[in-house]
Amino acid sequence: MSKAGALDLASGVGGKIEKDDVLSAVDKYEKYHVHYGGDEKDRKENYTDMVNKYYDLVTSFYEFGWGESFHFAPRWKGESLPESIKRHEHFLALQLGLKPGQKVLDVGCGIGGPLREIARFSSTSVTGLNNNEYQISRGKVLNRVAGVEQTCDFIKADFMKMPFPDNSFDAVYAIEATCHAPDAYGCYSEIYRVLKPGQCFAAYEWCMTDAFDPKNKEHQKIKAEIEIGDGLPDIRLTRQCLEALKKAGFDVVWEKDLAADSPIPWYLPLDKNHFSLSSFRLTAVGRFFTRNMVKVLEYVGLAPNGSQRVQDFLEKAAEGLVEGGRKEIFTPLYFFVARKPNGQTQ
């Protein structure tokens, strides 16, 4: 796990954005979202700018709170959050049937925590696809620290326009990433194109469930909080992901919302009523300390102006995620394995 501390958090806010421009970037990012008058059409049309601003602004907060892997996981009783995250990544590798020496693509790889874990677990070579320069530069540093720079690398590109030839990879996966795409079919079609025939694509998707009622104002509020706090142009229903997979040409091997059977609620680390030493920074007490630390760091000039605003919309996301999980209208653990049929090249 990453050892990012307070000064790492402060120096990282804004990513590749000039520190004097962080506040205006926060303004522009917020205005894409419903809480500030934005709409879905604008978010989808400008998703590259929106998502890049989001990850420049939040990556150091994520690393401070989550470590190197920015995702949730189904969790067993007696299992810590870091343990469940590693098991979650190993489970994905096993479902793909990864074999030593294979070439694997991680779509929307963040700073590469899952990429490094899966590469070491399966003895494969993993390429991380990411359109955010700051996350890539951070990931390369962590690759060198982990000693995996010979088998793990990053490519800067949009996952709606992948710079790879057809049939390039033995397997493709995405962990809570393709939900950032404005169009599921377009993203899945690109994945289909670069995957070798007969091979598999597996993903954990952030989705609204069938319990979501688009006419319910409370449901709408929860959805909007998750979108602003997690850089999403829209959140699709699970069945829309399935439809897009099939339309792209995939055969769906199996699919399931893994949140439904998780012995411990996936959102527990963010629940204000929960306390844990193993994930202290994510708890209400930990977030209180982080919020006040960021306030001080911004006041003394170590963190750029706007840092507190980033913390605020991340707090909104935490509230939306917990409520969405409790009401079972949202899941970050919709899992599927899909195969590209043999003989299909595009």
Side-chain angles (χ1 to χ4, degrees), residues 287-299:
R287 284 168 15 218
F288 173 81
F289 280 117
T290 301
R291 185 164 55 251
N292 284 282
M293 177 186 69
V294 170
K295 185 176 181 179
V296 170
L297 291 170
E298 185 172 333
Y299 179 77

Side-chain angles (χ1 to χ4, degrees), residues 67-340:
E68 296 177 28
S69 294
F70 306 158
H71 62 83
F72 293 97
R75 194 165 156 201
W76 296 101
K77 291 179 180 179
E79 185 178 46
S80 70
L81 178 63
E83 288 169 344
S84 72
I85 285 174
K86 282 195 174 188
R87 180 176 54 77
H88 193 52
E89 293 163 357
H90 296 173
F91 173 78
L92 186 149
L94 291 169
Q95 293 304 308
L96 283 171
L98 299 184
K99 297 178 178 60
Q102 286 186 324
K103 287 180 59 181
V104 182
L105 178 65
D106 179 332
V107 178
C109 59
I111 61 172
L115 176 154
R116 286 181 287 278
E117 187 65 34
I118 288 172
R120 289 179 294 202
F121 178 75
S122 60
S123 298
T124 54
S125 296
V126 186
T127 298
L129 185 71
N130 192 327
N131 209 22
N132 184 266
E133 185 64 41
Y134 176 70
Q135 287 196 330
I136 288 175
S137 62
R138 183 68 186 132
K140 286 183 175 180
V141 169
L142 293 170
N143 277 3
R144 288 194 293 272
V145 171
V148 297
E149 67 270 31
Q150 298 302 313
T151 56
C152 297
D153 200 6
F154 298 89
I155 296 290
K156 185 180 185 300
D158 184 343
F159 45 50
M160 300 291 284
K161 303 168 189 172
M162 297 187 189
F164 308 115
D166 296 353
N167 313 315
S168 295
F169 293 95
D170 298 298
V172 181
Y173 69 85
I175 302 179
E176 301 180 9
T178 53
C179 50
H180 291 287
D183 169 25
Y185 166 69
C187 181
Y188 295 162
S189 294
E190 272 293 270
I191 290 169
Y192 185 94
R193 181 183 66 78
V194 303
L195 182 64
K196 292 179 181 179
Q199 302 305 307
C200 289
F201 163 48
Y204 293 104
E205 285 279 17
W206 283 36
C207 292
M208 306 311 293
T209 70
D210 287 337
F212 173 72
D213 179 0
K215 296 179 182 178
N216 182 307
K217 288 188 177 179
E218 186 178 10
H219 289 194
Q220 290 174 357
K221 177 177 177 290
I222 290 168
K223 181 173 180 284
E225 286 174 343
I226 296 171
E227 286 169 350
I228 188 172
D230 294 282
L232 305 176
D234 186 27
I235 309 177
R236 293 178 278 274
L237 293 166
T238 54
R239 64 174 179 269
Q240 290 174 316
C241 289
L242 265 188
E243 290 164 2
L245 276 171
K246 292 173 181 176
K247 185 179 177 184
F250 283 105
D251 292 332
V252 178
V253 178
W254 73 281
E255 51 84 25
K256 185 177 182 180
D257 179 5
L258 299 183
D261 295 333
S262 180
I264 294 177
W266 60 266
Y267 54 83
L268 193 65
L270 299 176
D271 191 333
K272 289 182 178 179
N273 297 316
H274 173 70
F275 182 82
S276 168
L277 287 175
S278 69
S279 53
F280 173 75
R281 290 175 178 178
L282 299 176
T283 64
V285 177
R287 284 168 15 218
F288 173 81
F289 280 117
T290 301
R291 185 164 55 251
N292 284 282
M293 177 186 69
V294 170
K295 185 176 181 179
V296 170
L297 291 170
E298 185 172 333
Y299 179 77
V300 300
L302 290 174
N305 289 336
S307 297
Q308 292 179 72
R309 295 258 296 275
V310 177
Q311 175 76 12
D312 288 344
F313 67 66
L314 288 173
E315 287 283 343
K316 274 193 178 71
E319 292 166 11
L321 288 165
V322 171
E323 285 306 302
R326 280 189 182 137
K327 295 180 183 299
E328 299 182 346
I329 64 171
F330 169 81
T331 177
L333 296 172
Y334 180 60
F335 183 76
F336 59 75
V337 180
R339 180 178 288 112
K340 179 176 178 176

Side-chain angles (χ1 to χ4, degrees), residues 16-43:
K16 292 292 184 180
I17 300 170
E18 293 293 330
K19 299 308 177 186
D20 290 343
D21 296 332
V22 167
L23 184 58
S24 62
V26 174
D27 279 333
K28 188 169 181 183
Y29 172 75
E30 289 177 339
K31 286 174 182 174
Y32 280 122
H33 291 277
V34 172
H35 280 291
Y36 297 88
D39 60 35
E40 180 185 327
K41 181 174 181 289
D42 192 39
R43 290 194 297 277

